[in-house]
Amino acid sequence: MEKILVKQLYRESEKYAEQMISISGWIRTLRASKNFGFIEINDGTFFKNVQVVFEEGLENFKEVSKLSISSSITVEGKLVLTPGAKQPFELKAEKIEIEGLSDADYPLQKKRHSFEFLRTIAHLRPRSNTFSAVFRVRSLVAFAIHKFFQERGFVYTHTPIITGSDCEGAGEMFRITTMDLNDIPKTEGGEIDYKEDFFGKETNLTVSGQLAAEAYALAFRNVYTFGPTFRAENSNTARHAAEFWMVEPEIAFAELQDDMELAEDMIKYIISYVLENAPEEIEFFNSFIDKGLKERLIHVATSDFGKVSYTEAIDILKKCGKEFQYPVEWGIDLQTEHERYLTEEVFKKPLFVTDYPKEIKAFYMRLNEDQKTVAAMDLLVPGIGEIVGGSQREERLDVLESRIEELGLKKEDYWWYLELRKYGGTKHAGFGLGFERMIMYVTGISNIRDVIPFPRTTGTAEF
Amino acid sequence: MEKILVKQLYRESEKYAEQMISISGWIRTLRASKNFGFIEINDGTFFKNVQVVFEEGLENFKEVSKLSISSSITVEGKLVLTPGAKQPFELKAEKIEIEGLSDADYPLQKKRHSFEFLRTIAHLRPRSNTFSAVFRVRSLVAFAIHKFFQERGFVYTHTPIITGSDCEGAGEMFRITTMDLNDIPKTEGGEIDYKEDFFGKETNLTVSGQLAAEAYALAFRNVYTFGPTFRAENSNTARHAAEFWMVEPEIAFAELQDDMELAEDMIKYIISYVLENAPEEIEFFNSFIDKGLKERLIHVATSDFGKVSYTEAIDILKKCGKEFQYPVEWGIDLQTEHERYLTEEVFKKPLFVTDYPKEIKAFYMRLNEDQKTVAAMDLLVPGIGEIVGGSQREERLDVLESRIEELGLKKEDYWWYLELRKYGGTKHAGFGLGFERMIMYVTGISNIRDVIPFPRTTGTAEF
């Protein structure tokens, strides 16, 4: 007998009508009387449940009648279409095999639970409606990203997680070691002897794969990374995690304008993919998590993104008459309140802000002719503000070396990065998309802890 | 003017015939006489180069004539089909823009270099024929894996990289910390005070996402992980890296047989995808890296995989009359020489070996009725031996608890893993595929350092 996933059943119910099929899943609800009963089962492949009808002719009718929520069963039976009824079909059980019982203290009973509580049972929360939907969407968005770049011939590049260098020249990093912390090897001079460590040197968890991605863009023209990155920032906010995934495309023979076009295409592609492949989930989020979600997503997917320079943006903000918590002055880093005002109130659509003061951006961004700004861009979207940050990279060896010196970094730490400019360097650009931020954007979920299966934040690495 | 990738040009040259197009890339060879010259450029998107013809009418003819290998240029010109000639088309340059010069000491000149030398210039080696092909194939295989699972409705699950638990109950792990190694906080009793560390406890880099994947399989039925994993093993072999990527599907309502079918389908899908999407690369590997490669891959993609129990396999090996370096006895872990003999000489096709002695397998594998073996499977393939290892998982709470105790592990470390069996546990199974091992298999490359962009091994974390 064919084993069918619930998703297949909803997508192709005509095909299975009047057929004998086998469905497995976990019990969401069960009502039974003396002669018959109804079970809603869910197998996690789809947002909706399947209604199973069972009758007293069933061999283990009594046992089934008493099954607890979350017990797992396999049902064999005939699929009957029920046009006009609440659900489009039901499964008339001829056999119900009990796979595993669920103890009565199962913590996910029907009543609503707070997200805070659900985080303490991260191994069970994907069985709830909300988290089931969130993590299916997370999977779809990940695939949409791969599909987008692969269709365009980009080479997926696995940049290293363990690194001896600090890309941003700042960033708080996690140290990796196999040294015995109770007996750290020391040199004769009393310093830590990293030669004794696994890699023979200090190593950390990566904060970005960009520098390595640049090396690969200068071989494959268009590449992207998609992997975990880490920040040891001691910040306890709803938007920061110590471990998160990042997407970093890097394109050669390309300038800032190409970079912006790529970011716009990618964001639209992701949103369209989710709207098309997870319509039930988006309806649910729109009803129960964030009322304006669907409209906002459609708006973003169909708008032409705007563009404004940082200098113009500062002008607009200074002249708009609105009181901001953080005062606006040329040279400041834009705060979320400024970003949201620009994209939501002024431009009313997604907006690229370009050409930021060099002082607030990283050393590798390309210096503009004014010598004051760099060819950077941030993409701001209604609802959250910045979602993508990128730049054209400095391809001129002498300018890059001066910037490294200016910032007090060590040139020898970047020997291979500098060599990329010596051996056929080209104009190139790239950006980073925080993957979890994207998931939050398409689901309306406001805490990053609720879009990561087992989140790692300050003080927390459970499960 | 349309910017074209070299791959597009080869795939759709008819479309661009007699058109003005723009191609960018790095110079592989250049020959110039007084009146004209030829340049082969490569942009990394395709195995082959494009031949550019330039003549003295060109504005910067003299400058172009002297360009060094690996300089980057953008060529505008007309595409002319040249049927019958060595290359199917050539580009008649009307304009050549020099993007970046390459210094004369460019280390990747035309002569052959050893793979060992090329590892020391890992930032440049992707520009060589071999590594360009390897890393394009790596990208394609990664996408094939996502495509395979997504088409089957599997949910891609990001299991944590930073973990407080040790999945296998063994395994040498990397410690993660933000503590000052020069001044490690101690408790009053003189022990390391992990409460002062970033996560408030001891944390390591994951060796496997399996336990977390099981939690998600028991919510979504079918899931897979695909992410980096780490082993702090001090082994300096051609097959081990400290950081590597792993694919771990996990399926609920499934037994060992389902697991084997899934593994067989996946391996065949990956190989077929590469044969179809990278035929030029496979031809190259087959000619220059491993003569039997293509035949072996086609054989695997079209064979019905065999199946034999561990006990039967031991019998076969004992009776075969061949002298092995490691003597064969029931209870031993199969060595590569045994594995290769079974798959290459005895069965002459890919082979699942099932039901291994429990003593040589992990605690979570399902105990068979004989109480001596577990429902494990290894997939052996001609050429290398084991490529996939998996098992049905122990879903019976009491049996699992006894196994944990038997092995001296702490039950409380596995509280949530045990709870999965309390709240509607089901039969389930899964396996792990070492991603790099798969890349080595489809390329014929024999050292894992040569299929990872920037490899991390004992004593080495350069770049």
Side-chain angles (χ1 to χ4, degrees):
Chain A
M1 193 171 313
E2 209 181 342
K3 290 179 180 183
I4 312 289
L5 305 181
V6 171
K7 181 167 187 172
Q8 286 175 283
L9 216 50
Y10 272 92
R11 291 283 183 252
E12 309 176 278
S13 50
E14 296 290 340
K15 179 175 157 191
Y16 298 108
E18 301 297 318
Q19 304 288 312
M20 282 294 293
I21 58 169
S22 166
I23 287 275
S24 300
W26 292 268
I27 296 177
R28 285 288 181 90
T29 67
L30 186 150
R31 290 171 291 141
S33 68
K34 226 171 64 181
N35 313 108
F36 63 95
F38 298 98
I39 303 176
E40 300 243 350
I41 62 171
N42 186 290
D43 71 355
T45 62
F46 195 61
F47 191 76
K48 293 182 180 166
N49 306 323
V50 169
Q51 171 148 296
V52 175
V53 187
F54 63 101
E55 296 181 348
E56 60 180 334
L58 203 72
E59 205 183 346
N60 51 356
F61 177 80
K62 278 198 177 157
E63 214 183 333
V64 168
S65 298
K66 289 176 195 148
L67 284 173
S68 49
I69 300 298
S70 197
S71 296
S72 54
I73 56 175
T74 292
V75 183
E76 292 177 13
K78 193 191 274 182
L79 188 76
V80 181
L81 301 191
T82 53
K86 205 177 132 209
Q87 49 280 320
F89 47 75
E90 55 188 29
L91 187 60
K92 299 253 186 236
E94 299 198 359
K95 190 176 162 194
I96 296 184
E97 195 183 333
I98 299 167
E99 301 263 354
L101 296 173
S102 181
D103 279 15
D105 62 347
Y106 180 61
L108 263 174
Q109 300 295 338
K110 266 217 104 180
K111 75 178 178 83
R112 283 232 177 173
H113 298 284
S114 72
F115 285 180
E116 288 75 16
F117 168 72
L118 291 171
R119 279 174 217 145
T120 67
I121 50 167
H123 59 311
L124 300 174
R125 69 176 177 171
R127 301 186 194 181
S128 70
N129 270 337
T130 302
F131 289 95
S132 176
V134 165
F135 291 111
R136 267 196 310 277
V137 166
R138 185 176 167 114
S139 171
L140 288 175
V141 171
F143 187 61
I145 289 166
H146 281 297
K147 199 159 175 287
F148 172 81
F149 287 114
Q150 295 269 341
E151 283 172 0
R152 280 157 187 74
F154 282 57
V155 171
Y156 179 30
T157 301
H158 289 111
T159 53
I161 310 301
I162 297 173
T163 169
S165 66
D166 173 359
C167 167
E168 303 275 340
E172 303 187 58
M173 302 174 84
F174 290 102
R175 172 67 40 89
I176 298 164
T177 184
T178 54
M179 296 189 295
D180 178 352
L181 300 188
N182 275 308
D183 184 17
I184 290 185
K186 296 276 166 80
T187 61
E188 286 187 10
E191 311 227 296
I192 298 170
D193 188 2
Y194 285 107
K195 287 212 167 45
E196 297 292 314
D197 208 349
F198 190 90
F199 295 107
K201 63 191 287 193
E202 288 187 57
T203 51
N204 301 295
L205 288 178
T206 186
V207 297
S208 160
Q210 181 198 313
L211 303 196
E214 283 186 55
Y216 268 56
L218 293 175
F220 296 105
R221 184 161 185 166
N222 298 326
V223 303
Y224 69 108
T225 73
F226 186 0
T229 47
F230 304 85
R231 298 279 158 87
E233 266 171 59
N234 211 327
S235 62
N236 217 334
T237 82
R239 287 160 60 92
H240 292 89
E243 174 181 325
F244 55 99
W245 285 61
M246 191 131 81
V247 180
E248 296 178 286
E250 192 73 31
I251 50 179
F253 303 103
E255 304 184 6
L256 194 64
Q257 181 60 33
D258 305 293
D259 205 32
M260 289 190 281
E261 285 167 17
L262 182 68
E264 179 169 343
D265 289 351
M266 182 194 70
I267 295 289
K268 288 176 170 173
Y269 188 98
I270 292 171
I271 291 175
S272 303
Y273 190 86
V274 172
L275 288 170
E276 195 172 314
N277 290 280
E280 292 83 1
E281 283 80 356
I282 296 298
E283 286 299 344
F284 171 79
F285 295 132
N286 193 57
S287 301
F288 294 101
I289 304 289
D290 178 353
K291 297 283 178 208
L293 177 73
K294 193 175 164 187
E295 194 188 342
R296 198 162 60 236
L297 292 178
I298 292 171
H299 174 63
V300 170
T302 54
S303 300
D304 281 325
F305 292 11
K307 193 174 126 182
V308 67
S309 75
Y310 170 90
T311 302
E312 289 163 333
I314 291 290
D315 254 14
I316 292 170
L317 292 169
K318 284 175 85 163
K319 288 183 185 151
C320 72
K322 191 174 151 67
E323 286 259 330
F324 294 106
Q325 201 193 330
Y326 293 88
V328 175
E329 208 53 62
W330 199 96
I332 64 157
D333 213 352
L334 294 180
Q335 301 297 316
T336 303
E337 57 172 341
H338 308 135
E339 294 175 341
R340 291 190 59 171
Y341 183 80
L342 287 166
T343 178
E344 291 168 15
E345 305 295 326
V346 183
F347 287 82
K348 298 183 197 302
K349 60 182 182 179
L351 178 68
F352 288 104
V353 180
T354 67
D355 303 298
Y356 286 75
K358 67 176 180 177
E359 285 75 16
I360 58 171
K361 291 289 183 185
F363 73 92
Y364 50 71
M365 298 190 179
R366 192 177 197 278
L367 194 62
N368 286 327
E369 280 185 22
D370 63 16
Q371 305 291 316
K372 290 194 306 195
T373 61
V374 289
M377 61 92 166
D378 280 358
L379 173 59
L380 317 181
V381 288
I384 56 169
E386 185 200 333
I387 194 162
V388 156
S391 71
Q392 188 171 337
R393 318 309 189 185
E394 186 54 78
E395 86 280 11
R396 296 162 298 186
L397 184 59
D398 54 337
V399 183
L400 184 59
E401 286 180 335
S402 325
R403 284 289 287 153
I404 287 177
E405 276 166 28
E406 221 172 283
L407 292 166
L409 303 172
K410 284 188 230 150
K411 251 169 64 173
E412 52 275 28
D413 288 349
Y414 297 92
W415 70 270
W416 61 270
Y417 186 70
L418 292 167
E419 277 199 2
L420 298 176
R421 278 74 183 163
K422 262 183 75 180
Y423 300 125
T426 74
K427 291 194 190 74
H428 63 290
F431 64 80
L433 168 74
F435 179 63
E436 279 77 10
R437 202 156 284 184
M438 190 71 212
I439 306 300
M440 291 163 76
Y441 196 63
V442 297
T443 59
I445 297 282
S446 57
N447 194 310
I448 197 167
R449 292 166 182 79
D450 298 325
V451 300
I452 299 176
F454 300 95
R456 272 75 181 98
T457 53
T458 317
T460 309
E462 300 307 314
F463 303 97
Chain B
M1 193 169 318
E2 206 178 345
K3 289 180 179 180
I4 312 289
L5 305 181
V6 172
K7 182 168 187 171
Q8 286 175 284
L9 215 50
Y10 272 92
R11 292 281 184 253
E12 309 177 278
S13 50
E14 294 291 340
K15 179 174 157 191
Y16 298 109
E18 302 296 320
Q19 304 289 312
M20 282 296 291
I21 59 171
S22 166
I23 288 275
S24 299
W26 293 268
I27 296 178
R28 285 289 181 89
T29 66
L30 186 150
R31 287 172 293 142
S33 68
K34 227 171 64 183
N35 314 107
F36 64 94
F38 298 98
I39 302 176
E40 300 244 351
I41 62 171
N42 186 290
D43 72 355
T45 63
F46 194 61
F47 191 75
K48 294 181 180 165
N49 305 324
V50 168
Q51 173 149 294
V52 175
V53 187
F54 63 101
E55 297 179 350
E56 60 181 335
L58 203 71
E59 203 182 347
N60 52 356
F61 178 81
K62 278 197 178 156
E63 213 183 333
V64 168
S65 298
K66 289 178 196 146
L67 283 172
S68 49
I69 302 298
S70 197
S71 294
S72 54
I73 57 176
T74 292
V75 183
E76 291 178 13
K78 192 191 275 182
L79 189 75
V80 180
L81 302 192
T82 52
K86 206 177 131 210
Q87 49 279 320
F89 47 76
E90 53 187 32
L91 187 60
K92 299 254 186 234
E94 299 197 0
K95 188 177 161 195
I96 295 183
E97 193 182 334
I98 299 166
E99 301 264 354
L101 296 174
S102 181
D103 279 15
D105 62 348
Y106 179 61
L108 262 174
Q109 300 294 340
K110 265 218 105 180
K111 76 177 179 86
R112 284 233 176 170
H113 298 284
S114 72
F115 285 181
E116 287 74 17
F117 167 71
L118 291 172
R119 279 174 216 144
T120 68
I121 50 167
H123 58 311
L124 300 175
R125 68 176 178 170
R127 301 186 194 181
S128 70
N129 271 336
T130 302
F131 289 95
S132 176
V134 165
F135 291 112
R136 268 197 309 277
V137 166
R138 186 178 166 113
S139 171
L140 289 175
V141 171
F143 187 61
I145 289 166
H146 282 296
K147 198 158 176 284
F148 172 80
F149 287 113
Q150 297 269 340
E151 282 172 0
R152 280 158 189 72
F154 281 56
V155 172
Y156 179 29
T157 301
H158 290 112
T159 52
I161 310 300
I162 297 173
T163 169
S165 67
D166 173 358
C167 165
E168 303 276 339
E172 303 187 60
M173 302 175 83
F174 289 102
R175 173 67 40 87
I176 298 163
T177 184
T178 53
M179 296 189 295
D180 180 351
L181 300 188
N182 277 309
D183 184 17
I184 290 186
K186 297 278 165 81
T187 61
E188 287 188 9
E191 311 227 296
I192 296 169
D193 188 2
Y194 285 107
K195 288 213 166 47
E196 296 292 314
D197 208 350
F198 190 89
F199 296 107
K201 62 191 287 195
E202 289 186 56
T203 50
N204 301 296
L205 289 178
T206 186
V207 297
S208 160
Q210 181 197 314
L211 303 196
E214 283 185 55
Y216 268 56
L218 293 175
F220 295 105
R221 185 162 184 165
N222 298 325
V223 304
Y224 69 109
T225 73
F226 188 178
T229 47
F230 304 84
R231 298 279 158 87
E233 267 172 57
N234 210 326
S235 62
N236 216 332
T237 81
R239 287 159 59 92
H240 293 88
E243 174 180 324
F244 55 98
W245 285 61
M246 190 132 79
V247 180
E248 297 179 285
E250 192 73 31
I251 50 178
F253 303 103
E255 304 183 6
L256 194 64
Q257 181 59 35
D258 305 293
D259 205 31
M260 290 190 280
E261 284 167 18
L262 182 68
E264 179 169 343
D265 289 350
M266 180 194 72
I267 295 288
K268 288 176 170 173
Y269 187 98
I270 291 171
I271 292 176
S272 303
Y273 189 86
V274 172
L275 288 170
E276 196 173 312
N277 290 281
E280 293 82 2
E281 283 80 356
I282 296 298
E283 286 298 343
F284 171 79
F285 295 132
N286 193 58
S287 302
F288 295 101
I289 304 288
D290 178 353
K291 296 284 177 207
L293 177 74
K294 193 174 165 188
E295 193 188 342
R296 200 163 60 236
L297 291 177
I298 292 173
H299 174 62
V300 170
T302 54
S303 300
D304 282 325
F305 291 12
K307 192 175 125 181
V308 66
S309 76
Y310 169 90
T311 303
E312 289 163 333
I314 292 289
D315 253 15
I316 292 168
L317 292 169
K318 284 175 83 164
K319 289 184 183 147
C320 73
K322 192 175 151 67
E323 287 259 330
F324 293 107
Q325 202 193 329
Y326 293 88
V328 176
E329 207 55 60
W330 198 95
I332 64 158
D333 214 351
L334 294 180
Q335 302 297 316
T336 303
E337 56 171 341
H338 308 134
E339 294 174 342
R340 291 190 58 171
Y341 183 79
L342 286 167
T343 179
E344 290 168 18
E345 305 294 327
V346 183
F347 287 83
K348 298 183 195 305
K349 61 183 182 179
L351 178 69
F352 287 105
V353 179
T354 66
D355 304 298
Y356 285 75
K358 67 175 180 179
E359 285 76 16
I360 58 172
K361 290 290 183 183
F363 74 93
Y364 49 71
M365 298 192 179
R366 192 177 197 276
L367 193 62
N368 286 326
E369 280 186 21
D370 62 16
Q371 304 291 316
K372 290 193 306 194
T373 62
V374 289
M377 61 91 166
D378 280 0
L379 173 59
L380 317 181
V381 287
I384 56 167
E386 184 200 331
I387 194 161
V388 156
S391 71
Q392 189 171 334
R393 318 308 190 186
E394 186 56 77
E395 86 281 12
R396 294 162 297 186
L397 184 59
D398 53 338
V399 183
L400 184 59
E401 287 181 333
S402 321
R403 287 288 287 152
I404 288 177
E405 277 167 27
E406 223 171 282
L407 292 166
L409 302 172
K410 284 189 233 152
K411 253 169 63 175
E412 53 274 28
D413 287 350
Y414 297 92
W415 69 270
W416 60 271
Y417 186 69
L418 292 167
E419 277 198 1
L420 299 176
R421 278 75 184 162
K422 263 182 75 180
Y423 299 125
T426 74
K427 290 195 191 75
H428 63 291
F431 64 80
L433 168 74
F435 179 63
E436 280 77 10
R437 202 157 284 184
M438 190 71 213
I439 306 300
M440 291 163 76
Y441 196 63
V442 298
T443 58
I445 297 282
S446 57
N447 195 311
I448 196 167
R449 290 168 182 79
D450 298 325
V451 300
I452 299 176
F454 300 95
R456 272 72 181 101
T457 54
T458 317
T460 310
E462 299 309 314
F463 301 98

